[in-house]
């Protein structure tokens, strides 16, 4: 095992804007860290690792910003770190779950939790047949997603069949996709539950018309009262939308289920989305995120700054790693 720690914490990330609040908080506290920008990153399998801890903040939507190569490179880098015995937050297991919606459904199936029924395909020509027995409308959802990228909705089998006969479009970065039932959320509300250190941190309830699949919490621009939220962690070109958000405490059984999901996925820091199916009244889980951005204007929406909580936790982890080396 080759390790030689020169900086305790490395933060591996792709998006240029999302982590500015975390970087600022760490700098304010005087906590040394190294920014590991994924696009320019490389590693030598024979070299020692300079970081005791690496926080993986890679984004699955990197391919929408020209970073498809980094999606798969990240798997090799995380495996390299784990081989060296580096403390990796959201390592190979977490990232493998993040970049496979098919794997997410398998995990939910194993845990006995409800999710929208789906079939996994690898060619457009399979889409119509895969939808047989599913309740319409359905969505065709790339296996590697991120902020709703590439999701298409079909109201009827005929519409899906027409596209599946002629489409030569890519199903996604890995050529795999889900054909999945599109469920109507009761009262137009979906919930994202966030975890830190594998435990419940907070939840938000987002009001959506169902016409958009981009539910990045940092892009939700209004509170429930309609007032504009400060979005300091968002990209300058973050989409304007009519989504509204409020802090929310889910039922205890939902929180317990989310903690089971993230534990099974190896996700220490992330989020899980669910909705209450308007037809059945059952909570249905539909997205597992190893990368889950914190809600915009968090002190106003949920009553505290989650970046400060994350920094608190990282300080503890850094101290623990220092004790292990001593």
């Amino acid at each position: 095992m080759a390790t030689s720690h020169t900086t305790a914490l490395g933060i591996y990330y792709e998006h240029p804007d999302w982590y500015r609040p975390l970087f600022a908080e760490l700098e304010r506290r005087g906590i040394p860290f190294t920014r590991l920008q994924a696009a320019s990153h490389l590693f030598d399998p024979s070299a020692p690792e300079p970081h005791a801890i690496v926080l993986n903040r890679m984004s699955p939507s990197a391919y929408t910003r020209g970073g498809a190569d980094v999606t798969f490179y990240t798997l090799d880098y995380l495996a390299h770190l784990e081989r060296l015995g580096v403390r990796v937050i959201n390592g190979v297991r977490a990232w493998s779950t993040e970049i496979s919606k098919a794997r997410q459904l398998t995990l939910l199936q194993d845990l006995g939790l409800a999710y929208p029924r789906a079939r996994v395909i690898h060619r457009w020509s399979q889409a119509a047949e895969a939808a047989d027995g599913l309740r319409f409308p359905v969505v065709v959802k790339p296996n590697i997603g991120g902020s709703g990228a590439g999701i298409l909705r079909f109201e009827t089998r005929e519409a899906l069949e027409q596209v599946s006969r002629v489409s030569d479009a890519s199903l996604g970065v890995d050529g795999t996709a889900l054909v999945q039932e599109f469920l109507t959320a009761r009262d137009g509300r979906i919930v994202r539950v966030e975890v830190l250190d594998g435990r419940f941190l907070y939840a938000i309830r987002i009001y959506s018309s169902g016409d958009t699949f981009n539910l990045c919490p940092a892009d939700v621009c209004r509170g429930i009262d309609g007032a504009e939220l400060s979005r300091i962690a968002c990209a300058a070109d973050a989409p304007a939308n009519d989504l509204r958000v409020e802090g929310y405490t889910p039922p205890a059984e939902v929180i317990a289920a989310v903690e089971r999901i993230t534990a099974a996925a190896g996700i220490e820091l992330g989020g899980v989305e669910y909705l209450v199916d308007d037809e059945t009244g059952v909570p249905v889980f539909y997205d597992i995120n190893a990368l889950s951005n914190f809600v915009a204007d968090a002190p106003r929406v949920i009553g505290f700054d989650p970046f400060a909580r994350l920094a608190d936790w990282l300080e503890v982890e850094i101290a623990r790693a220092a004790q292990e080396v001593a």
Side-chain angles (χ1 to χ4, degrees):
M1 181 173 70
T3 58
S4 178
H5 305 140
T6 57
T7 305
L9 176 65
I11 301 177
Y12 177 77
Y13 70 103
E14 175 268 336
H15 198 284
D17 297 306
W18 287 343
Y19 309 111
R20 286 185 287 125
L22 175 59
F23 296 157
E25 180 66 17
L26 294 175
E27 289 168 349
R28 185 186 70 78
R29 298 181 184 209
I31 300 173
F33 69 97
T34 305
R35 304 183 192 203
L36 305 173
Q37 220 292 326
S40 58
H41 193 268
L42 57 82
F43 70 90
D44 178 350
S46 68
E49 172 56 38
H51 305 102
I53 301 170
V54 172
L55 170 60
N56 173 28
R57 296 276 78 194
M58 177 60 188
S59 170
S61 63
Y63 70 92
T64 68
R65 296 178 290 276
D69 53 319
V70 188
T71 299
F72 303 103
Y73 167 86
T74 296
L75 282 173
D76 294 325
Y77 175 52
L78 297 178
H80 162 72
L81 293 174
E82 292 181 4
R83 176 180 65 85
L84 294 179
V86 174
R87 166 81 168 97
V88 182
I89 298 170
N90 286 359
V92 170
R93 188 154 56 101
W95 182 242
S96 297
T97 303
E98 169 74 272
I99 62 173
S100 176
K101 296 194 180 299
R103 191 168 301 183
Q104 292 176 23
L105 298 190
T106 299
L107 186 151
L108 293 168
Q109 178 70 30
D110 286 346
L111 293 176
L113 297 171
Y115 58 88
R117 292 194 302 160
R119 313 278 165 68
V120 182
I121 63 172
H122 54 90
R123 295 182 180 179
W124 263 109
S125 60
Q126 300 172 306
E129 180 182 356
D132 288 344
L134 299 182
R135 184 175 71 184
F136 277 82
V138 300
V139 291
V140 177
K141 182 185 295 186
N143 196 40
I144 299 178
S147 300
I151 299 177
L152 298 174
R153 174 172 167 166
F154 297 88
E155 301 299 324
T156 66
R157 190 189 192 282
E158 291 73 25
L160 179 58
E161 186 172 17
Q162 183 178 6
V163 172
S164 66
R165 280 201 308 263
V166 300
S167 180
D168 60 357
S170 170
L171 284 172
V173 179
D174 65 349
T176 305
L178 306 184
V179 179
Q180 187 170 52
E181 291 182 348
F182 180 84
L183 304 183
T184 300
R186 181 159 291 179
D187 299 321
R189 303 173 185 180
I190 64 99
V191 180
R192 184 183 293 231
V193 184
E194 304 285 348
V195 300
L196 174 62
D197 194 19
R199 296 191 293 270
F200 175 75
L201 179 63
Y202 71 85
I204 52 175
R205 187 160 56 180
I206 300 171
Y207 290 65
S208 170
S209 65
D211 296 329
T212 179
F213 299 106
N214 182 3
L215 297 176
C216 171
D219 289 347
V220 180
C221 59
R222 288 188 174 89
I224 197 63
D225 58 0
E228 290 284 340
L229 300 178
S230 170
R231 300 190 292 168
I232 62 170
C234 255
D237 60 352
N241 53 55
D242 292 324
L243 300 176
R244 300 190 181 200
V245 64
E246 64 180 347
Y248 177 67
T249 302
E253 59 270 21
V254 169
I255 292 175
V258 167
E259 291 179 348
R260 288 174 60 210
I261 291 168
T262 52
I267 294 172
E268 298 178 76
L269 171 64
V272 175
E273 292 181 16
Y274 78 94
L275 55 82
V276 176
D277 184 0
D278 193 47
E279 183 168 304
T280 65
V282 173
V284 177
F285 299 93
Y286 64 88
D287 198 16
I288 302 171
N289 302 276
L291 176 71
S292 185
N293 294 322
F294 292 141
V295 65
D297 213 349
R300 178 174 171 181
V301 176
I302 60 172
F304 65 89
D305 180 2
F307 285 107
R309 298 280 180 91
L310 175 55
D312 290 342
W313 181 59
L314 289 173
E315 281 197 272
V316 172
E317 293 300 308
I318 291 169
R320 181 178 293 122
Q323 289 178 347
E324 291 176 356
V325 171

